[in-house]
Amino acid sequence: MELLPDEVKIHILSYLPLSNLCQVALISRYWRYLALDHSLWRYLETNWRTTDELLYKIIERHPYITHFEYDHHGEITEMGLSRVFVQCGKTLTHIYLVYCDVLSSDLISILVEHCVSLVHLDVASNPCVDDVTLCQLATCQNLSSLCVANCDRVTDGGLEMLISQRPLKKLNASYLLDVRVRTIENLVTFCSQSLRSLYLDGGNLRDEDVGKIGQLSALRSLEIQYCDEITDSGVVPLSQLYNLTALRLFRSFNLTSYCVSQLALKLQSLVNLVLSDCSEVDDRGLMSIGRHCSKLEELELTQSYCHTLTDVGLCAVLLGCPRLRCLKLKGLKGVRTFISLIPVLQRRRLTYLHLGGCQNIPLNLLETVAAFCPDIQMFGHYA
């Protein structure tokens, strides 16, 4: 270690959390010099022990913070946060204020005024965030990523004001019941070439609303919660999103194997696929995934009270998706045997297997798989 140049030592220290850096700084003057290098203090994450006084000392010594993450268990006040925004505003690019109970409209005004380099803002689960907040954020010239998940006072009107002025690359509007088709139409109008990631609540969306998302040609990641009322006719148009690598549909009760087959046929670049509560999907859908989605790395399937997915479909996936490393199966009561899969698992990349609620798999069979494939982590059996 002593023979390494300072630059290499600092790079090694960059993998440590700030609490460990403080311990390194106590070793000697030399290690204190290395541990307090400005490049190691660009990411500031508070915890339950962080107070305003401690925060002041950190930002006075390291004013070039780029990422700031607030922990709602801590003792930081509105005054402490305002000082962070004022003193580090020129360099702050990413701010995370989830469950921030001291957040207020005045604090948002300070943030907007001083954080001129802001690129990403996460204000999820904050009751004070509303349409007026979004109007303020519309003046942030560099803002391209925003999370307002679970902010009940945000509506289509506020998002329209923001989207029309800021071509977002990422928008998380999950669990927002007042966000409807108007927001999707504005995204298509103003962000069709820029938007990369989109998270929505599907509770108030109809098939024709979801189908319009297929016009967001640059989209690479899409997640829709509460797809209870959405059917194949709404999801099949998403097959136009040829750049899509991640698709997560939760509570997809009405989707069938036809829909899954169409998605698999057109979206051959998929890396991550989640189909929650897909009770109408059978082995034909999985066989299409295995036939066309050779780049798939993560697959999550959930079923309740049905037996439509069996070992036949899983064999097709494991044979056709050589990059698959994470497979989560929940409630698949039609899955019974993995004997035929053991040779496949041995030479594939699969390292994580979750079997929650797959009650018909014999325990001795799982022990056999574990013996033949020791690198695979298995969880949730009989959960």
Side-chain angles (χ1 to χ4, degrees), residues 310-322:
T310 69
D311 294 309
V312 175
L314 290 176
C315 283
V317 170
L318 289 168
L319 287 168
C321 304

Side-chain angles (χ1 to χ4, degrees), residues 119 143-146 159 162-163 166-171 187 190-191 193-196:
V119 173
L143 186 66
S144 62
S145 177
L146 177 66
L159 286 172
L162 175 68
I163 293 169
R166 298 268 70 80
L168 295 177
K169 293 182 179 180
K170 180 179 180 180
L171 174 62
L187 288 172
F190 299 105
C191 303
Q193 301 300 317
S194 63
L195 195 65
R196 300 290 188 273

Side-chain angles (χ1 to χ4, degrees), residues 94-382:
H94 291 68
I95 300 177
Y96 303 86
L97 301 172
V98 182
Y99 289 111
C100 183
D101 51 2
V102 298
L103 190 64
S104 64
S105 58
D106 292 337
L107 193 57
I108 290 291
S109 299
I110 295 174
L111 183 152
V112 170
E113 179 182 356
H114 294 278
C115 299
V116 294
S117 301
L118 186 63
V119 173
H120 173 80
L121 178 63
D122 188 341
V123 288
S125 303
N126 283 295
C128 71
V129 175
D130 55 15
D131 290 346
V132 175
T133 304
L134 299 189
C135 292
Q136 291 177 292
L137 294 175
T139 62
C140 295
Q141 296 299 317
N142 296 303
L143 186 66
S144 62
S145 177
L146 177 66
C147 177
V148 288
N150 204 28
C151 295
D152 298 335
R153 298 171 64 188
V154 172
T155 68
D156 281 335
L159 286 172
E160 179 180 9
M161 178 64 69
L162 175 68
I163 293 169
S164 62
Q165 299 185 46
R166 298 268 70 80
L168 295 177
K169 293 182 179 180
K170 180 179 180 180
L171 174 62
N172 189 337
S174 300
Y175 308 109
L176 298 184
L177 295 179
D178 289 329
V179 173
R180 303 169 189 257
V181 62
R182 185 173 160 192
T183 293
I184 297 176
E185 292 173 344
N186 285 314
L187 288 172
V188 171
T189 302
F190 299 105
C191 303
S192 61
Q193 301 300 317
S194 63
L195 195 65
R196 300 290 188 273
S197 298
L198 178 61
Y199 304 79
L200 290 175
D201 189 310
N204 288 321
L205 297 179
R206 300 166 299 176
D207 283 338
E208 51 268 35
D209 305 334
V210 176
K212 293 178 181 178
I213 298 176
Q215 301 177 43
L216 298 171
S217 57
L219 204 62
R220 298 190 178 184
S221 178
L222 174 63
E223 178 177 310
I224 304 179
Q225 301 279 346
Y226 300 105
C227 302
D228 304 47
E229 304 299 325
I230 299 173
T231 67
D232 288 356
S233 60
V235 176
V236 168
L238 299 181
S239 59
Q240 303 174 48
L241 301 172
Y242 301 113
N243 296 315
L244 204 66
T245 59
L247 177 61
R248 295 177 288 272
L249 303 174
F250 294 90
R251 296 175 64 88
S252 49
F253 298 110
N254 299 312
L255 301 187
T256 68
S257 291
Y258 168 76
C259 175
V260 175
S261 298
Q262 291 299 308
L263 292 175
L265 179 63
K266 300 292 182 64
L267 305 179
Q268 299 188 15
S269 297
L270 276 180
V271 175
N272 179 288
L273 177 62
V274 176
L275 296 174
S276 168
D277 297 298
C278 52
S279 54
E280 299 297 323
V281 177
D282 57 26
D283 287 336
R284 291 173 296 176
L286 294 189
M287 293 172 70
S288 295
I289 292 174
R291 191 177 302 117
H292 302 292
C293 300
S294 59
K295 298 180 181 180
L296 195 66
E297 296 181 8
E298 299 182 23
L299 175 63
E300 180 176 340
L301 302 168
T302 305
Q303 283 192 333
S304 301
Y305 312 112
C306 58
H307 304 75
T308 56
L309 295 178
T310 69
D311 294 309
V312 175
L314 290 176
C315 283
V317 170
L318 289 168
L319 287 168
C321 304
R323 300 184 182 183
L324 192 67
R325 56 181 177 80
C326 178
L327 180 60
K328 298 180 181 180
L329 310 174
K330 300 178 182 179
L332 272 61
K333 297 178 175 61
V335 175
R336 294 179 173 83
T337 172
F338 273 92
I339 287 291
S340 60
L341 306 183
I342 292 177
V344 180
L345 296 178
Q346 279 186 291
R347 62 176 182 269
R348 298 299 167 117
R349 297 184 180 183
L350 191 65
T351 58
Y352 184 94
L353 182 61
H354 193 288
L355 301 170
C358 300
Q359 301 164 340
N360 293 323
I361 303 176
L363 186 58
N364 62 333
L365 210 54
L366 290 173
E367 293 174 348
T368 303
V369 174
F372 276 85
C373 311
D375 294 334
I376 297 179
Q377 302 179 51
M378 292 190 291
F379 298 94
H381 186 238
Y382 298 134

